[in-house]
Amino acid sequence: MIVKVRSRSGRMPEYETAGSAGMDLRADLAEPVVLKPGERKLIPTGLFLEIEKGYEAQIRARSGLALKHGICLANGIGTIDSDYRGEVGVILVNLGSENFAIEDGDRIAQMVILKYERAEIVASDTLSETERGAGGFGHTGV
């Protein structure tokens, strides 16, 4: 599948290894940004996408940034819909205990392209029975 990308900086999303599911996204900054502990900011990537209908781009945290510095995505996983044509921004939050500086070109997130199906929602007064039933959080034990 082809994803068309317009890049303000000329940098493109890239798979770092042959087995990578996600492409690294880089910050597109005129000057460094500092995230203080507990602070969140929208970091621009300078990327604009055209994704085929029936696909989405999921924006995910980089595990190394999360482990080493407590830098995560404020919204868990971001979704870029196929009809969105604006700039891809990454909402980073600093869950660490120290300031974290982001420089132009730093790898800040990863992007995975996934196929999806739209569900047809049907109102119903009854649902089928299952072994689990209404068992929720922790119902299966430790």
Side-chain angles (χ1 to χ4, degrees), residues 15-109:
Y15 294 105
E16 290 295 320
T17 69
S20 296
M23 295 172 257
D24 283 340
L25 300 180
R26 296 179 179 271
D28 184 44
L29 301 170
E31 57 188 47
V33 170
V34 174
L35 272 177
K36 297 174 185 168
E39 190 173 38
R40 66 185 175 276
K41 289 185 179 177
L42 180 65
I43 308 299
T45 65
L47 300 174
F48 304 80
L49 308 176
E50 183 178 321
I51 303 167
E52 291 180 28
K53 188 175 181 179
Y55 291 84
E56 65 162 326
Q58 286 189 359
I59 309 303
R60 301 177 181 187
R62 296 192 68 238
S63 56
L65 288 179
L67 177 63
K68 295 174 186 172
H69 306 286
I71 304 301
C72 301
L73 270 62
N75 56 336
I77 293 178
T79 294
I80 309 298
D81 295 308
S82 64
D83 58 353
Y84 177 68
R85 295 295 183 269
E87 181 177 4
V88 174
V90 177
I91 307 167
L92 293 181
V93 61
N94 184 349
L95 301 178
S97 57
E98 298 178 7
N99 287 352
F100 183 78
I102 303 163
E103 306 275 342
D104 183 51
D106 282 354
R107 295 183 297 166
I108 57 169

Side-chain angles (χ1 to χ4, degrees), residues 96-130:
S97 57
E98 298 178 7
N99 287 352
F100 183 78
I102 303 163
E103 306 275 342
D104 183 51
D106 282 354
R107 295 183 297 166
I108 57 169
Q110 56 185 329
M111 177 174 72
V112 177
I113 306 296
L114 296 166
K115 187 173 183 59
Y116 68 87
E117 292 189 39
R118 288 179 59 112
E120 179 182 351
I121 304 300
V122 177
S124 178
D125 292 330
T126 61
L127 302 176
S128 63
E129 294 292 327
T130 67

